[in-house]
Amino acid sequence: MKSNSHMPANLLHHAFWISLATLSATATFAEEIKSPVKATKSEIAAFVAADLDKSITLTAEEFKAFVDKMAEDGETKALTIRLMGLYNYAFKKIDKNIDGVVTPQELRSANDDYKRTAGN
């Protein structure tokens, strides 16, 4: 992906929302309608702040900053990751395609998987 270092912050926010709203290509249109992506303002702010190279992906280092920001905001999974030092473990679990970066879709998918298995 081409660097977006010159992209204005408002365009980066829009690009992030578009990226986050894009669901798996294997999902049907009906499934997409029934499963809207819901990112909180806190999640978006943490992601944008952590994404230092403005690539709309997080490297392992950027992911750590994302988790720390979410933990500061009181997000329980992030607090657990930070407390137990499980940054690398969490990153590897979320990076499903093993490309060395975490996308908004991978973060959303991991969060949805967690909610399903935790019964939330």
Side-chain angles (χ1 to χ4, degrees), residues 1-45:
M1 174 177 258
K2 187 176 138 185
S3 172
N4 295 322
S5 61
H6 300 294
M7 184 181 288
N10 62 339
L11 288 179
L12 183 60
H13 264 15
H14 290 298
F16 176 76
W17 270 108
I18 291 167
S19 180
L20 191 59
T22 303
L23 298 174
S24 169
T26 61
T28 66
F29 183 72
E31 289 170 333
E32 290 177 5
I33 300 281
K34 291 178 187 173
S35 303
V37 174
K38 297 174 185 152
T40 66
K41 288 181 181 181
S42 177
E43 289 171 329
I44 294 169

Short mmCIF file of all heavy atoms in Angstrom, two decimals, residues 1-45:
data_model
loop_
_atom_site.label_atom_id
_atom_site.label_comp_id
_atom_site.label_asym_id
_atom_site.label_seq_id
_atom_site.Cartn_x
_atom_site.Cartn_y
_atom_site.Cartn_z
N MET A 1 0.84 -1.17 0.00
CA MET A 1 0.00 0.00 0.00
C MET A 1 0.88 1.24 0.00
O MET A 1 1.86 1.32 0.73
CB MET A 1 -0.91 -0.01 1.21
CG MET A 1 -1.73 1.26 1.35
SD MET A 1 -2.86 1.20 2.75
CE MET A 1 -4.34 0.85 1.85
N LYS A 2 0.55 2.21 -0.79
CA LYS A 2 1.29 3.46 -0.88
C LYS A 2 1.16 4.24 0.43
O LYS A 2 0.13 4.24 1.06
CB LYS A 2 0.70 4.27 -2.04
CG LYS A 2 1.48 5.51 -2.36
CD LYS A 2 0.88 6.16 -3.58
CE LYS A 2 0.83 7.65 -3.38
NZ LYS A 2 0.17 8.36 -4.42
N SER A 3 2.23 4.89 0.84
CA SER A 3 2.22 5.67 2.07
C SER A 3 1.23 6.82 1.96
O SER A 3 1.12 7.47 0.93
CB SER A 3 3.62 6.22 2.34
OG SER A 3 3.58 7.12 3.42
N ASN A 4 0.53 7.08 3.04
CA ASN A 4 -0.44 8.16 3.10
C ASN A 4 0.04 9.27 4.03
O ASN A 4 -0.77 9.94 4.65
CB ASN A 4 -1.79 7.63 3.60
CG ASN A 4 -2.40 6.65 2.63
OD1 ASN A 4 -2.30 6.84 1.43
ND2 ASN A 4 -3.01 5.60 3.15
N SER A 5 1.35 9.48 4.12
CA SER A 5 1.89 10.41 5.08
C SER A 5 1.46 11.85 4.82
O SER A 5 1.48 12.67 5.72
CB SER A 5 3.42 10.32 5.11
OG SER A 5 3.94 10.65 3.84
N HIS A 6 1.03 12.15 3.59
CA HIS A 6 0.60 13.50 3.27
C HIS A 6 -0.91 13.63 3.27
O HIS A 6 -1.45 14.67 2.93
CB HIS A 6 1.15 13.93 1.91
CG HIS A 6 2.65 13.93 1.86
ND1 HIS A 6 3.41 14.79 2.59
CD2 HIS A 6 3.52 13.14 1.20
CE1 HIS A 6 4.69 14.55 2.37
NE2 HIS A 6 4.78 13.54 1.54
N MET A 7 -1.61 12.59 3.69
CA MET A 7 -3.07 12.60 3.70
C MET A 7 -3.55 13.43 4.89
O MET A 7 -3.15 13.20 6.02
CB MET A 7 -3.61 11.17 3.82
CG MET A 7 -5.12 11.09 3.74
SD MET A 7 -5.74 9.41 3.92
CE MET A 7 -5.25 8.70 2.37
N PRO A 8 -4.41 14.43 4.65
CA PRO A 8 -4.95 15.23 5.76
C PRO A 8 -5.72 14.33 6.74
O PRO A 8 -6.28 13.31 6.36
CB PRO A 8 -5.90 16.21 5.06
CG PRO A 8 -5.48 16.22 3.63
CD PRO A 8 -4.89 14.87 3.36
N ALA A 9 -5.75 14.75 8.00
CA ALA A 9 -6.37 13.94 9.05
C ALA A 9 -7.82 13.61 8.75
O ALA A 9 -8.27 12.49 8.99
CB ALA A 9 -6.26 14.67 10.39
N ASN A 10 -8.59 14.57 8.20
CA ASN A 10 -10.00 14.28 7.92
C ASN A 10 -10.15 13.23 6.83
O ASN A 10 -11.04 12.38 6.89
CB ASN A 10 -10.78 15.55 7.58
CG ASN A 10 -10.29 16.24 6.33
OD1 ASN A 10 -9.16 16.04 5.90
ND2 ASN A 10 -11.13 17.06 5.75
N LEU A 11 -9.27 13.23 5.84
CA LEU A 11 -9.32 12.20 4.80
C LEU A 11 -8.89 10.86 5.37
O LEU A 11 -9.44 9.82 4.99
CB LEU A 11 -8.43 12.58 3.61
CG LEU A 11 -8.93 13.72 2.74
CD1 LEU A 11 -7.94 14.00 1.61
CD2 LEU A 11 -10.29 13.40 2.16
N LEU A 12 -7.93 10.87 6.28
CA LEU A 12 -7.50 9.63 6.92
C LEU A 12 -8.65 9.03 7.72
O LEU A 12 -8.89 7.83 7.66
CB LEU A 12 -6.29 9.88 7.82
CG LEU A 12 -5.72 8.65 8.49
CD1 LEU A 12 -5.25 7.64 7.45
CD2 LEU A 12 -4.59 9.03 9.41
N HIS A 13 -9.40 9.88 8.43
CA HIS A 13 -10.57 9.39 9.17
C HIS A 13 -11.57 8.74 8.22
O HIS A 13 -12.08 7.66 8.49
CB HIS A 13 -11.26 10.54 9.90
CG HIS A 13 -10.85 10.69 11.32
ND1 HIS A 13 -9.75 10.10 11.88
CD2 HIS A 13 -11.43 11.37 12.33
CE1 HIS A 13 -9.65 10.42 13.13
NE2 HIS A 13 -10.67 11.20 13.44
N HIS A 14 -11.84 9.40 7.08
CA HIS A 14 -12.78 8.84 6.10
C HIS A 14 -12.25 7.53 5.52
O HIS A 14 -13.01 6.56 5.39
CB HIS A 14 -13.06 9.84 4.97
CG HIS A 14 -13.87 11.02 5.40
ND1 HIS A 14 -15.15 10.91 5.90
CD2 HIS A 14 -13.57 12.33 5.44
CE1 HIS A 14 -15.62 12.10 6.21
NE2 HIS A 14 -14.67 12.98 5.95
N ALA A 15 -10.98 7.51 5.21
CA ALA A 15 -10.39 6.28 4.67
C ALA A 15 -10.47 5.16 5.69
O ALA A 15 -10.75 4.01 5.36
CB ALA A 15 -8.94 6.53 4.25
N PHE A 16 -10.25 5.49 6.95
CA PHE A 16 -10.34 4.49 8.01
C PHE A 16 -11.76 3.94 8.11
O PHE A 16 -11.97 2.74 8.17
CB PHE A 16 -9.91 5.09 9.35
CG PHE A 16 -10.07 4.13 10.50
CD1 PHE A 16 -9.17 3.11 10.67
CD2 PHE A 16 -11.14 4.25 11.37
CE1 PHE A 16 -9.31 2.21 11.71
CE2 PHE A 16 -11.29 3.36 12.41
CZ PHE A 16 -10.37 2.34 12.58
N TRP A 17 -12.75 4.83 8.09
CA TRP A 17 -14.14 4.39 8.17
C TRP A 17 -14.49 3.49 6.99
O TRP A 17 -15.16 2.47 7.14
CB TRP A 17 -15.10 5.58 8.20
CG TRP A 17 -15.38 6.04 9.59
CD1 TRP A 17 -14.91 7.17 10.18
CD2 TRP A 17 -16.15 5.38 10.58
NE1 TRP A 17 -15.36 7.25 11.47
CE2 TRP A 17 -16.13 6.17 11.74
CE3 TRP A 17 -16.86 4.18 10.61
CZ2 TRP A 17 -16.79 5.80 12.90
CZ3 TRP A 17 -17.52 3.83 11.77
CH2 TRP A 17 -17.48 4.63 12.90
N ILE A 18 -14.06 3.87 5.80
CA ILE A 18 -14.34 3.06 4.62
C ILE A 18 -13.67 1.70 4.76
O ILE A 18 -14.28 0.66 4.51
CB ILE A 18 -13.86 3.78 3.34
CG1 ILE A 18 -14.75 4.99 3.08
CG2 ILE A 18 -13.86 2.83 2.14
CD1 ILE A 18 -14.21 5.96 2.05
N SER A 19 -12.42 1.70 5.21
CA SER A 19 -11.70 0.44 5.39
C SER A 19 -12.38 -0.41 6.46
O SER A 19 -12.56 -1.61 6.29
CB SER A 19 -10.25 0.73 5.77
OG SER A 19 -9.55 -0.45 5.94
N LEU A 20 -12.78 0.20 7.56
CA LEU A 20 -13.42 -0.54 8.65
C LEU A 20 -14.78 -1.07 8.22
O LEU A 20 -15.17 -2.16 8.61
CB LEU A 20 -13.56 0.37 9.86
CG LEU A 20 -13.95 -0.29 11.17
CD1 LEU A 20 -12.92 -1.34 11.57
CD2 LEU A 20 -14.06 0.76 12.26
N ALA A 21 -15.48 -0.32 7.39
CA ALA A 21 -16.82 -0.73 6.98
C ALA A 21 -16.80 -1.82 5.91
O ALA A 21 -17.80 -2.47 5.66
CB ALA A 21 -17.59 0.49 6.47
N THR A 22 -15.66 -2.02 5.29
CA THR A 22 -15.55 -3.05 4.25
C THR A 22 -15.45 -4.41 4.92
O THR A 22 -14.54 -4.67 5.66
CB THR A 22 -14.29 -2.81 3.39
OG1 THR A 22 -14.37 -1.51 2.84
CG2 THR A 22 -14.20 -3.86 2.29
N LEU A 23 -16.43 -5.25 4.64
CA LEU A 23 -16.43 -6.58 5.24
C LEU A 23 -15.79 -7.58 4.30
O LEU A 23 -15.50 -7.28 3.14
CB LEU A 23 -17.87 -7.00 5.57
CG LEU A 23 -18.57 -6.11 6.57
CD1 LEU A 23 -20.03 -6.52 6.73
CD2 LEU A 23 -17.86 -6.17 7.91
N SER A 24 -15.58 -8.78 4.77
CA SER A 24 -14.96 -9.85 4.01
C SER A 24 -15.62 -10.03 2.65
O SER A 24 -16.84 -9.99 2.52
CB SER A 24 -15.05 -11.16 4.79
OG SER A 24 -14.69 -12.24 3.98
N ALA A 25 -14.81 -10.23 1.63
CA ALA A 25 -15.34 -10.43 0.28
C ALA A 25 -16.15 -11.71 0.18
O ALA A 25 -16.96 -11.87 -0.72
CB ALA A 25 -14.19 -10.46 -0.73
N THR A 26 -15.97 -12.62 1.11
CA THR A 26 -16.72 -13.87 1.07
C THR A 26 -18.11 -13.73 1.68
O THR A 26 -18.94 -14.62 1.52
CB THR A 26 -15.96 -14.99 1.82
OG1 THR A 26 -15.78 -14.60 3.17
CG2 THR A 26 -14.61 -15.26 1.17
N ALA A 27 -18.36 -12.65 2.39
CA ALA A 27 -19.67 -12.45 3.00
C ALA A 27 -20.68 -12.05 1.93
O ALA A 27 -20.36 -11.36 0.98
CB ALA A 27 -19.60 -11.37 4.07
N THR A 28 -21.89 -12.50 2.09
CA THR A 28 -22.94 -12.11 1.14
C THR A 28 -23.40 -10.70 1.46
O THR A 28 -23.21 -10.20 2.57
CB THR A 28 -24.14 -13.07 1.21
OG1 THR A 28 -24.75 -12.92 2.50
CG2 THR A 28 -23.73 -14.50 0.96
N PHE A 29 -24.07 -10.08 0.50
CA PHE A 29 -24.58 -8.73 0.70
C PHE A 29 -25.56 -8.72 1.88
O PHE A 29 -25.53 -7.82 2.71
CB PHE A 29 -25.26 -8.23 -0.58
CG PHE A 29 -25.77 -6.83 -0.47
CD1 PHE A 29 -24.90 -5.76 -0.46
CD2 PHE A 29 -27.13 -6.58 -0.36
CE1 PHE A 29 -25.35 -4.47 -0.35
CE2 PHE A 29 -27.59 -5.28 -0.26
CZ PHE A 29 -26.71 -4.23 -0.25
N ALA A 30 -26.41 -9.75 1.98
CA ALA A 30 -27.38 -9.82 3.07
C ALA A 30 -26.68 -9.89 4.42
O ALA A 30 -27.11 -9.26 5.39
CB ALA A 30 -28.29 -11.03 2.90
N GLU A 31 -25.59 -10.65 4.50
CA GLU A 31 -24.84 -10.74 5.75
C GLU A 31 -24.23 -9.39 6.12
O GLU A 31 -24.19 -9.01 7.27
CB GLU A 31 -23.74 -11.80 5.65
CG GLU A 31 -24.27 -13.21 5.62
CD GLU A 31 -23.19 -14.21 5.27
OE1 GLU A 31 -22.22 -13.84 4.58
OE2 GLU A 31 -23.32 -15.37 5.70
N GLU A 32 -23.76 -8.67 5.11
CA GLU A 32 -23.18 -7.36 5.36
C GLU A 32 -24.23 -6.41 5.93
O GLU A 32 -23.94 -5.65 6.84
CB GLU A 32 -22.59 -6.78 4.08
CG GLU A 32 -21.35 -7.50 3.60
CD GLU A 32 -20.82 -6.96 2.30
OE1 GLU A 32 -21.35 -5.97 1.79
OE2 GLU A 32 -19.85 -7.54 1.80
N ILE A 33 -25.44 -6.46 5.39
CA ILE A 33 -26.51 -5.59 5.86
C ILE A 33 -26.86 -5.93 7.32
O ILE A 33 -27.09 -5.05 8.13
CB ILE A 33 -27.77 -5.75 4.98
CG1 ILE A 33 -27.47 -5.38 3.55
CG2 ILE A 33 -28.94 -4.96 5.53
CD1 ILE A 33 -27.44 -3.93 3.24
N LYS A 34 -26.89 -7.21 7.64
CA LYS A 34 -27.26 -7.66 8.99
C LYS A 34 -26.15 -7.46 10.00
O LYS A 34 -26.40 -7.48 11.20
CB LYS A 34 -27.65 -9.15 8.96
CG LYS A 34 -28.92 -9.42 8.23
CD LYS A 34 -29.19 -10.91 8.22
CE LYS A 34 -30.38 -11.22 7.33
NZ LYS A 34 -30.58 -12.66 7.17
N SER A 35 -24.92 -7.29 9.56
CA SER A 35 -23.78 -7.19 10.47
C SER A 35 -23.01 -5.89 10.28
O SER A 35 -21.88 -5.90 9.83
CB SER A 35 -22.83 -8.37 10.23
OG SER A 35 -23.49 -9.58 10.39
N PRO A 36 -23.64 -4.75 10.59
CA PRO A 36 -22.92 -3.49 10.41
C PRO A 36 -21.74 -3.40 11.36
O PRO A 36 -21.80 -3.87 12.49
CB PRO A 36 -23.97 -2.43 10.73
CG PRO A 36 -24.94 -3.12 11.63
CD PRO A 36 -24.94 -4.57 11.20
N VAL A 37 -20.66 -2.81 10.88
CA VAL A 37 -19.46 -2.63 11.69
C VAL A 37 -19.67 -1.41 12.57
O VAL A 37 -20.07 -0.36 12.09
CB VAL A 37 -18.23 -2.44 10.78
CG1 VAL A 37 -17.01 -2.11 11.61
CG2 VAL A 37 -18.01 -3.67 9.94
N LYS A 38 -19.42 -1.57 13.85
CA LYS A 38 -19.63 -0.47 14.79
C LYS A 38 -18.33 -0.19 15.53
O LYS A 38 -17.98 -0.90 16.47
CB LYS A 38 -20.73 -0.84 15.78
CG LYS A 38 -22.07 -1.04 15.13
CD LYS A 38 -23.08 -1.53 16.13
CE LYS A 38 -24.38 -1.82 15.39
NZ LYS A 38 -25.17 -2.84 16.03
N ALA A 39 -17.61 0.81 15.10
CA ALA A 39 -16.39 1.22 15.78
C ALA A 39 -16.73 2.38 16.69
O ALA A 39 -17.49 3.27 16.32
CB ALA A 39 -15.33 1.65 14.78
N THR A 40 -16.19 2.36 17.89
CA THR A 40 -16.42 3.47 18.81
C THR A 40 -15.48 4.62 18.46
O THR A 40 -14.45 4.42 17.80
CB THR A 40 -16.18 3.04 20.26
OG1 THR A 40 -14.79 2.74 20.43
CG2 THR A 40 -17.03 1.84 20.65
N LYS A 41 -15.82 5.80 18.93
CA LYS A 41 -14.94 6.95 18.72
C LYS A 41 -13.58 6.69 19.37
O LYS A 41 -12.55 7.08 18.83
CB LYS A 41 -15.57 8.21 19.28
CG LYS A 41 -16.74 8.71 18.47
CD LYS A 41 -17.31 9.98 19.07
CE LYS A 41 -18.51 10.44 18.24
NZ LYS A 41 -19.09 11.68 18.76
N SER A 42 -13.60 6.01 20.50
CA SER A 42 -12.36 5.70 21.21
C SER A 42 -11.48 4.77 20.38
O SER A 42 -10.26 4.97 20.30
CB SER A 42 -12.70 5.05 22.56
OG SER A 42 -11.53 4.68 23.24
N GLU A 43 -12.09 3.74 19.75
CA GLU A 43 -11.33 2.82 18.90
C GLU A 43 -10.71 3.55 17.72
O GLU A 43 -9.55 3.34 17.39
CB GLU A 43 -12.24 1.70 18.39
CG GLU A 43 -12.65 0.71 19.43
CD GLU A 43 -13.72 -0.25 18.95
OE1 GLU A 43 -14.56 0.12 18.10
OE2 GLU A 43 -13.71 -1.40 19.44
N ILE A 44 -11.49 4.40 17.09
CA ILE A 44 -11.00 5.14 15.93
C ILE A 44 -9.87 6.07 16.33
O ILE A 44 -8.83 6.11 15.68
CB ILE A 44 -12.13 5.91 15.24
CG1 ILE A 44 -13.13 4.92 14.65
CG2 ILE A 44 -11.59 6.85 14.16
CD1 ILE A 44 -14.41 5.55 14.20
N ALA A 45 -10.07 6.81 17.42
CA ALA A 45 -9.04 7.74 17.88
C ALA A 45 -7.74 7.00 18.23
O ALA A 45 -6.65 7.45 17.87
CB ALA A 45 -9.53 8.54 19.08
#
